Amino acid sequence: MPLRLSSRTFTSHAVEYRLLLPDDHREGERLPLVLHLHGAMSSSVSLELALPLYRKAFDSGEFPRAVVACPSTPTQGGFYLDQEDGPAWETMVGTELPAHLTETFGAFDRVALLGASMGGYGALKQAFAAPERFAAVAALSPAVFPGESPADVPARNIPSVLGELHRAMAPGGDAETYARNSVHGRARTRAELIRSSGLSVLIDCGAADEFLLHEGAAYLHGVLNELDIEHRFRLVEGAGHVGPAAERRTLDAIRFLGRALMSR
């Protein structure tokens, strides 16, 4: 196989991650890095499930030789957030794991992010916080809400685990903390840098998402238009949070990252 998958441990954090790289990878070869962020109640197995799609894009020349890494992170107590009095999951995924991988593989020439659901929230938040670090971000059914403060988000948009994320973004309901941990808030505070960075942005959501995430995605689309932040927005008619269209949409997102990583 042209791409091989392995499971490793980020020892300093006791975090398991899966790694995908070319079967004939050469020591010292400088490659791009893709951070693949899984959704809620999932793990790095997400990358194993996506392996046939990465291989398909790679075999067709639509995805470059690259290192792809997916760390296992928790849902409750995680959510790709730096916890106020606990683990710093955002920092671990976006900064410390890439530094660890750089020690192993050398400097990467470009870095991109792909995330689904909770991972889509984490990917967009990372990209908008430091757009100069990333070539592209693709978010599938991202866990973003149609509102920019805790009180603005309708109750119907925060059921179950989404409600847990909503509360974790601002323990106690503080609006400033919520904005700091929200995709919208980061887009607003970093808009000029995002515009000038050349960051490629894809937001893709099923128009029949069972968790109403299409409403949050459409709201974010409006915010990015307001801020004149270039992005590609797609609502897929009839598609839910998962289902028959999920594989094709993920493949499209991988191809989107591939175009950004291979462009110069």
Side-chain angles (χ1 to χ4, degrees):
M1 292 293 183
L3 297 174
R4 71 174 185 268
L5 186 73
S6 62
S7 181
R8 306 188 182 195
T9 301
F10 187 8
T11 308
S12 63
H13 289 70
V15 169
E16 181 267 350
Y17 66 96
R18 278 174 169 77
L19 194 71
L20 179 64
L21 71 162
D23 194 48
D24 59 349
H25 173 258
R26 303 178 299 277
E27 185 176 350
E29 179 183 11
R30 190 168 186 182
L31 299 174
L33 170 67
V34 174
L35 297 172
H36 181 114
L37 307 189
H38 65 75
M41 309 300 181
S42 186
S43 69
S44 67
V45 170
S46 170
L47 182 57
E48 186 171 344
L49 296 174
L51 176 58
L53 306 178
Y54 279 101
R55 282 179 172 159
K56 185 172 183 177
F58 180 81
D59 290 344
S60 65
E62 296 171 289
F63 188 77
R65 296 172 63 83
V67 174
V68 185
C70 179
S72 290
T73 64
T75 300
Q76 290 84 359
F79 290 119
Y80 299 108
L81 288 164
D82 284 352
Q83 307 292 327
E84 190 171 328
D85 296 308
W89 290 106
E90 179 177 0
T91 298
M92 187 280 290
V93 170
T95 303
E96 295 172 348
L97 179 60
H100 164 72
L101 294 171
T102 296
E103 290 178 3
T104 304
F105 296 102
F108 297 103
D109 63 356
R110 309 190 90 181
V111 184
L113 295 146
L114 185 151
S117 195
M118 181 183 83
Y121 160 73
L124 288 169
K125 196 170 59 146
Q126 293 270 2
F128 288 174
E132 70 283 359
R133 290 183 52 212
F134 302 103
V137 57
L140 297 159
S141 304
V144 295
F145 305 115
E148 299 185 52
S149 74
D152 289 340
V153 180
R156 71 194 194 102
N157 293 99
I158 47 175
S160 185
V161 70
L162 288 173
E164 295 177 31
L165 167 60
H166 182 252
R167 291 187 291 274
M169 288 167 62
D174 177 66
E176 185 176 333
T177 303
Y178 190 86
R180 194 163 56 245
N181 281 321
S182 78
V183 175
H184 316 89
R186 295 200 178 180
R188 291 195 182 280
T189 57
R190 309 286 281 176
E192 185 175 348
L193 186 56
I194 296 169
R195 286 193 296 267
S196 64
S197 68
L199 176 72
S200 295
V201 180
L202 169 66
I203 300 166
D204 175 299
C205 196
D209 191 283
E210 299 89 327
F211 303 106
L212 305 182
L213 291 176
H214 55 289
E215 295 182 0
Y219 185 94
L220 176 60
H221 171 55
V223 169
L224 298 182
N225 279 340
E226 175 193 338
L227 297 173
D228 197 28
I229 292 174
E230 187 175 345
H231 64 288
R232 179 182 172 192
F233 174 66
R234 184 171 73 162
L235 280 181
V236 182
E237 290 300 323
H241 196 65
V242 295
E247 185 173 294
R248 173 176 54 81
R249 292 166 55 206
T250 302
L251 179 58
D252 286 346
I254 292 169
R255 288 167 170 159
F256 175 85
L257 295 187
R259 288 191 294 272
L261 292 171
M262 292 188 291
S263 66
R264 288 290 183 271

